[in-house]
Amino acid sequence: MKKLASILLIPFLFLLSWQASAAAAVPAEAYGKPVPEKGYILDDLGDGLYWVSDGMYQVMFLTTGKGVIVVDAPPSMTHHVLAAIKEVTMNPITHVIYSHSHADHIAGAAAYPKDAKYIAHIETANRLKAKRDTPFGMFVGGGAVPAVTGTFENDYRLVVGNQVLELSYKGPSHVPGNLLIYAPKQKVLMFIDVIFPGWSPFKWLAVAEFTPSFIESHDWVLAYDFDTLISGHIGRRGSRADVVMQKQYIMDIQTNAVTSLKTVDFNAIAGEIGFANPWLLFNTYLDALADKCTKLTEDKWVTKLGGVDIFTFSHCEKVIESLRID
Ligand SMILES: [Zn+2]
C-alpha cells in the first residue's frame, strides 16, 4: 500500500515541479557547452582570435604579436577576460574597442590598461560623456570607463601587428553607435545585442531603440562573409542559420502584428471600456493587439527557440507600437 502511494505521488510531484517552473522546455540546441569550474570558457577560433564567455556574456580578443586587442568588458566577467588573456599571452592589452555604449557590456573597462587606445563610434563616445546623476554602470557592477581616444563615423580599419579588424556602423539597430566588428582572416563577425543564437531576443527586441533598424540589421549581418557570429549573450556562438532563423521569427511577429492591427476592433473595446479613462482604454486595446500577435506566433516557434513563451508578447508590443508610430 505504501509502495502504491509513492508511485501515485511521483506524477503528482512532477506536475508540481512543472507548474513551479511555468515555462516551456528550452530546445537543446539553445545551449552551448557547460562553463568549467574556473568560471569561463576560452575558445581558440584560429589565427590569434579568442572567444571568452561566462555563459551569459561574450567577449573576443586578438593577439597581434604587438599587444592584445580586446572588444568589450562586461563588468560581470572582466576578471575572467584578464585571466583568459593571461592563459594565451604575456603581452599587454594595447587596444580596447567598445561595441556600444551599454554598461553591461563595457563598464568593467577600468580594469584594462589606462594607456591603451580606446576605440568606439562617435555616438558611443558622446553617450559616455552624457551627464548622469548616478555613476555609469553602477547597477551592473561596473563603474566609469576610460574615455574613448579614437572615434569614427562610418568605417574604421584597425591594423595592429598581424591582425586586421574592420569596424563598421550602418545604423542604430540596437542602439546608436552599435558596431559591426569583422575579422576577415578568421571570418568572425561580432555584433552585440541583436542576434540571440538559439533564443528569442531579450525583452522588447533586446530593448532596441529603433525597431525598423533592428529588423533591417539582420540583413546587414547576412551580407558579411562570416562563419562565426559573436553576439554578446548566452553561452554559445552563432551561425548564418541562427541569423536566418531569428529573421524568420521576427518577420512572423511583424506579419502577425499587422494582422492584429487590422483585425482587433478598437470600437468594440471602446464600447465595453468607454472613454472616461483613455489610458485604461488604450492599455486594454494595446494588450489585446499584443495578445493576438503572441497567440498567432507562439506555437510555431516555441519548440525552435528558447524563451519564446517568455518574450514574444513584449516583441509583439514593440513591433505593434513601431507600426503605429515609426
Ligand atoms: Zn546593449
Side-chain angles (χ1 to χ4, degrees):
M1 190 64 195
K2 216 174 184 182
K3 195 175 175 191
L4 182 67
S6 63
I7 287 169
L8 288 172
L9 202 61
I10 289 168
F12 176 70
L13 288 174
F14 175 77
L15 195 68
L16 268 186
S17 69
W18 177 77
Q19 282 187 329
S21 72
V26 174
E29 309 84 73
Y31 293 108
K33 57 187 174 187
V35 178
E37 211 164 292
K38 65 183 175 181
Y40 61 91
I41 305 167
L42 169 62
D43 280 351
D44 181 351
L45 304 189
D47 285 313
L49 195 158
Y50 296 84
W51 178 81
V52 191
S53 174
D54 64 353
M56 283 305 291
Y57 281 87
Q58 307 178 356
V59 160
M60 77 171 177
F61 70 88
L62 297 95
T63 58
T64 71
K66 291 187 171 179
V68 173
I69 306 167
V70 61
V71 187
D72 285 351
S76 53
M77 63 168 284
T78 307
H79 59 300
H80 291 322
V81 177
L82 292 170
I85 292 172
K86 277 212 175 102
E87 280 191 44
V88 172
T89 175
M90 290 316 290
N91 285 342
I93 295 168
T94 54
H95 294 75
V96 179
I97 298 166
Y98 296 151
S99 66
H100 68 300
S101 59
H102 282 165
D104 64 323
H105 289 271
I106 66 168
Y112 295 155
K114 301 262 173 298
D115 59 350
K117 185 168 186 186
Y118 288 80
I119 302 162
H121 188 263
I122 181 84
E123 186 65 34
T124 299
N126 289 340
R127 284 181 170 227
L128 292 174
K129 280 188 262 180
K131 194 176 175 301
R132 290 173 172 81
D133 292 330
T134 53
F136 178 69
M138 67 176 285
F139 289 109
V140 290
V145 298
V148 178
T149 50
T151 62
F152 64 99
E153 281 189 39
N154 298 314
D155 297 290
Y156 184 98
R157 187 177 156 89
L158 176 65
V159 182
V160 185
N162 57 12
Q163 294 288 8
V164 176
L165 280 181
E166 294 170 2
L167 281 51
S168 181
Y169 180 64
K170 298 190 189 306
S173 62
H174 167 61
V175 62
N178 199 25
L179 295 176
L180 291 134
I181 302 163
Y182 181 54
K185 193 162 54 171
Q186 297 88 347
K187 291 195 178 182
V188 171
L189 179 66
M190 186 166 177
F191 189 42
I192 302 299
D193 284 348
V194 174
I195 309 294
F196 293 75
W199 292 84
S200 174
F202 185 70
K203 200 167 187 174
W204 294 308
L205 300 179
V207 293
E209 286 190 28
F210 187 50
T211 297
S213 179
F214 175 90
I215 293 173
E216 185 194 2
S217 66
H218 292 71
D219 293 330
W220 305 342
V221 173
L222 291 170
Y224 278 86
D225 178 19
F226 72 95
D227 295 327
T228 301
L229 178 73
I230 297 174
S231 57
H233 279 288
I234 315 288
R236 74 165 172 87
R237 298 180 293 275
S239 63
R240 297 189 77 81
D242 287 316
V243 183
V244 169
M245 186 180 266
Q246 181 173 302
K247 185 183 169 188
Q248 288 168 345
Y249 170 57
I250 301 297
M251 289 297 109
D252 275 1
I253 287 174
Q254 186 167 250
T255 301
N256 295 333
V258 168
T259 301
S260 299
L261 280 160
K262 283 182 176 169
T263 56
V264 172
D265 187 348
F266 177 80
N267 290 326
I269 293 172
E272 273 179 44
I273 304 288
F275 286 88
N277 184 338
W279 284 178
L280 175 64
L281 170 57
F282 267 89
N283 200 43
T284 308
Y285 171 61
L286 293 173
D287 277 354
L289 290 170
D291 204 43
K292 178 153 194 179
C293 167
T294 304
K295 286 198 172 88
L296 291 170
T297 309
E298 218 176 274
D299 283 354
K300 177 177 170 186
W301 286 98
V302 75
T303 55
K304 295 190 171 92
L305 295 169
V308 161
D309 55 324
I310 311 289
F311 284 149
T312 298
F313 185 88
S314 74
H315 303 327
C316 282
E317 279 186 310
K318 183 101 178 179
V319 172
I320 286 162
E321 207 49 48
S322 174
L323 288 168
R324 281 161 37 82
I325 63 174
D326 283 334

